[in-house]
Each structure stands twice: as structure tokens, then as C-alpha cells.
Amino acid sequence: MTRHRHLPNDDDISAFRDALKAAGVRRIATNQADPGKPKIDGKAHEARRHAAVESNTPQSSGRTSDGRVEAVRPSEYLEFCVPDLPWRTFSQLKRGQTAWQAGLDMHGYTLEEARAELESFLRDAASQGLRCVLVVHGKAWGTTSDFPVLKSHTNAWLREWPGVLAFCSAIDIDGGTGAVYILLRKRGQ
């Protein structure tokens, strides 16, 4: 299944802009909705902010590389989101409608290499202010395990990573159940 987009030519774009101008459409000043209530700036907010800053410091030890993870099937659909994530945001992520801005392919990595690469990739993505990334973990079974090792560990690692708001298996064109879309926290969130 491929995605084909019709790219308009310059005449179509000019005609569209002229029609918008004639209709009195104005460019909006901001890209964020006004919820109509002030932002909460209490002690809990400051505590979460402090915890997030502390968690962004590089860590030398792995998260769950000791093998104590829940095994998942190769074709199992993965999904996770924090409780306060808007339903629409998660729904768009699951449908592949949130454009991913960077990707990591972990095929061929050992478990420890994959953990280190994933953590480094997520830290880099967060420092660049990326919102959505793609990680390809594959579905291959381990040589000494009867379950997909990287997929199972990725599922566990991402649930523990403080900067991850949500993740889910990708749509088929981006890797299906062998990859995940990851929605990251915005800076200051």
C-alpha cells in the first residue's frame, strides 16, 4: 500500500491563495489553542519539571537489560500512553497521521548495543525538540530465546523512559509490528 499525494502546480496554489484573500481569510497569529483557563503553576508542576530535568542526565546503567521483561509475540501490536494524553493525539499516532521526524533501525544490534543506541537516540531527539520518531526493532526471535528479544525489551524500555508520552506499532508502510512510533514530550512539558 503506497501513499500518493497530488502536488498542486503553481497556478493552483496562486488560485487558492487568491480565493482565500478574496474571502477575507487571515493568517492566524498562533498555532496553539486557548483553553480559556490559566496555566497551573503550583508545587506539583515544579516537582514534575525538576524530575524531568533530573531524568535527562546521562545514565551509565541500562534500564531493564537484565532479561526481566514481558515477552511479546512477533505479530503483537504494541501501544502505550500516559493517562493524561488527549485521545485524539494518541489516535492520530496510531493511524500514522503524526509525521515522524527521525528514525532508528536496531536490526543487527546486540541487546546492550540496542539499549545504548535507543537511549542516545531518544536523548538526541529530545534535545533537538523532535515530537515524533520511528524506531525499527524488528520481530526476529533471539538465538537463545523463544520470543522477539529487541521488540520485548523496546516495549519495556519505552514504558520507563520519562520523555515518552506514547508509543504504538507503526502502520504497514513504516514497518508494521516490527516498528514503533514514539511521541515525545515537548520541552518544558
Side-chain angles (χ1 to χ4, degrees):
M1 181 175 178
T2 61
R3 295 181 188 173
H4 294 286
R5 286 191 176 158
H6 169 70
L7 298 176
N9 60 29
D10 291 338
D11 293 336
D12 291 340
I13 293 171
S14 295
F16 180 72
R17 287 186 178 146
D18 290 342
L20 288 176
K21 191 174 187 179
V25 175
R26 294 177 294 135
R27 185 177 293 271
I28 59 173
T30 181
N31 189 355
Q32 295 183 351
D34 180 11
K37 56 185 177 181
K39 290 185 178 181
I40 298 171
D41 197 26
K43 291 181 182 179
H45 176 72
E46 288 302 318
R48 284 195 309 271
R49 178 181 293 261
H50 180 68
V53 169
E54 290 298 317
S55 69
N56 282 338
T57 58
Q59 299 176 357
S60 58
S61 64
R63 296 207 177 277
T64 57
S65 295
D66 56 3
R68 292 179 294 172
V69 297
E70 181 180 335
V72 296
R73 295 183 314 277
S75 61
E76 187 172 339
Y77 185 88
L78 302 180
E79 69 177 18
F80 163 83
C81 74
V82 295
D84 58 345
L85 185 72
W87 174 85
R88 175 176 278 168
T89 303
F90 191 47
S91 179
Q92 288 172 336
L93 184 71
K94 289 175 19 175
R95 289 192 308 261
Q97 295 175 335
T98 305
W100 52 276
Q101 300 154 303
L104 171 67
D105 186 351
M106 297 193 300
H107 281 106
Y109 288 144
T110 65
L111 188 59
E112 285 303 314
E113 290 171 341
R115 180 197 53 80
E117 285 295 320
L118 180 63
E119 290 183 1
S120 174
F121 176 70
L122 291 175
R123 273 194 296 276
D124 290 346
S127 69
Q128 294 173 23
L130 303 182
R131 183 72 167 143
C132 182
V133 294
L134 175 77
V135 171
V136 179
H137 47 68
K139 300 188 274 188
W141 290 18
T143 55
T144 60
S145 304
D146 59 349
F147 62 93
V149 176
L150 285 182
K151 180 175 183 173
S152 299
H153 278 79
T154 299
N155 183 36
W157 292 332
L158 292 176
R159 291 172 190 270
E160 297 172 355
W161 193 261
V164 172
L165 290 175
F167 68 86
C168 64
S169 292
I171 60 173
D172 289 341
I173 198 167
D174 288 330
T177 56
V180 288
Y181 298 124
I182 304 170
L183 189 65
L184 301 172
R185 287 189 193 281
K186 293 180 185 174
R187 286 185 183 158
Q189 189 178 30

